[in-house]
Amino acid sequence: MVNKMHDLLQLFNQDFVHIHQTSKGKFSIIEKKDGGKGVCDFQSENDVLIIKAKDQNTPLWSLKSKKCAEGAFVVLDKNHQSLSLHIIEMKSKLTYDEFEKVIQQLQGMYLMAFCVISILKLNIPKNIITYVTYKNETVQNKINQDLKRIPKKSIGIKDPVLESWETEKIKLSHNNTAKLIKGIRIDDGNGNFNCDFGMV
């Protein structure tokens, strides 16, 4: 199974889809755009399949939405079958409107990852985790303001964007729901704003 997957990996441009071996230590998803430069670092006890977008556009030309998150990775077991799918989007200031776009970007990368997984003939991971990082956010402020305006007897988050933020769950296609992990980006002193999520 491992050798077969490595043969199929040759179908991909290694700049965008490749295996990171656990023996090499940390791995990163990188944001290169000015104003938002930085990295998200991760570690795993297993090999991971890394999937990166090109210019935040999904290569799935037939999809209506062309939005796509920066990157994703699949944690693999010793037989190189899928254990979990992780999808990452990095922002500077995260507003309500930006978070709405983030959800679409996470959905785009989710679909792209499923295509890569299918081409490599891997099993579909049941555990899906999404990450959004930011320097600061105002989404919570909007929730607080909305709650003040709504009569107490009818309080309840009905806006799907705000519901995703509050419940820390992202609804995806195929009736899948992903856990949402939020991370604050820290200035490294060189103009990069980074986030280290540690072991996954």
Side-chain angles (χ1 to χ4, degrees):
M1 180 62 73
V2 173
N3 290 336
K4 189 171 185 179
M5 190 195 73
H6 279 281
D7 289 343
L8 291 171
L9 270 172
Q10 303 311 308
L11 296 170
F12 292 98
N13 180 330
Q14 300 297 297
D15 291 336
F16 300 103
V17 178
H18 65 273
I19 295 289
H20 175 88
Q21 295 176 331
T22 183
S23 59
K24 295 181 180 177
K26 279 186 180 182
F27 59 96
S28 303
I29 302 296
I30 302 171
E31 166 63 82
K32 296 181 179 178
K33 285 187 178 179
D34 289 338
K37 289 182 179 178
V39 300
C40 283
D41 289 321
F42 298 88
Q43 285 180 278
S44 175
E45 295 178 345
N46 300 65
D47 289 352
V48 297
L49 171 69
I50 295 180
I51 305 167
K52 297 179 182 177
K54 183 178 181 182
D55 303 323
Q56 291 185 310
N57 286 316
T58 175
L60 302 178
W61 58 269
S62 56
L63 288 178
K64 287 182 180 179
S65 174
K66 301 303 176 189
K67 294 181 175 64
C68 192
E70 261 98 29
F73 61 90
V74 180
V75 178
L76 304 169
D77 67 15
K78 63 181 180 180
N79 296 314
H80 277 186
Q81 284 300 304
S82 309
L83 292 174
S84 56
L85 170 63
H86 303 251
I87 309 171
I88 303 94
E89 176 58 30
M90 302 168 70
K91 292 293 182 187
S92 293
K93 183 175 181 179
L94 189 65
T95 63
Y96 173 91
D97 290 340
E98 281 298 313
F99 185 58
E100 187 172 25
K101 290 178 187 174
V102 165
I103 294 171
Q104 296 171 15
Q105 289 171 306
L106 295 171
Q107 168 77 0
M109 178 55 83
Y110 161 83
L111 294 172
M112 179 177 160
F114 267 43
C115 287
V116 173
I117 288 166
S118 296
I119 290 170
L120 294 176
K121 295 189 174 181
L122 302 177
N123 62 302
I124 299 299
K126 294 180 180 178
N127 190 22
I128 304 170
I129 302 169
T130 59
Y131 304 79
V132 60
T133 66
Y134 44 82
K135 299 175 192 175
N136 54 70
E137 58 86 9
T138 59
V139 182
Q140 190 62 49
N141 290 344
K142 179 167 176 54
I143 290 175
N144 294 340
Q145 290 167 4
D146 287 354
L147 288 177
K148 288 178 183 177
R149 288 198 302 268
I150 299 171
K152 288 185 179 179
K153 64 179 181 180
S154 62
I155 284 181
I157 299 172
K158 296 177 182 174
D159 182 312
V161 176
L162 297 182
E163 183 176 11
S164 292
W165 181 264
E166 193 80 337
T167 62
E168 299 184 340
K169 293 180 180 177
I170 303 291
K171 292 180 181 177
L172 300 167
S173 299
H174 311 103
N175 292 319
N176 278 328
T177 299
K179 178 180 179 181
L180 174 66
I181 297 177
K182 307 166 189 173
I184 303 294
R185 299 175 65 177
I186 307 298
D187 190 349
D188 69 355
N190 296 313
N192 297 313
F193 288 82
N194 306 330
C195 192
D196 191 335
F197 287 101
M199 190 69 69
V200 294

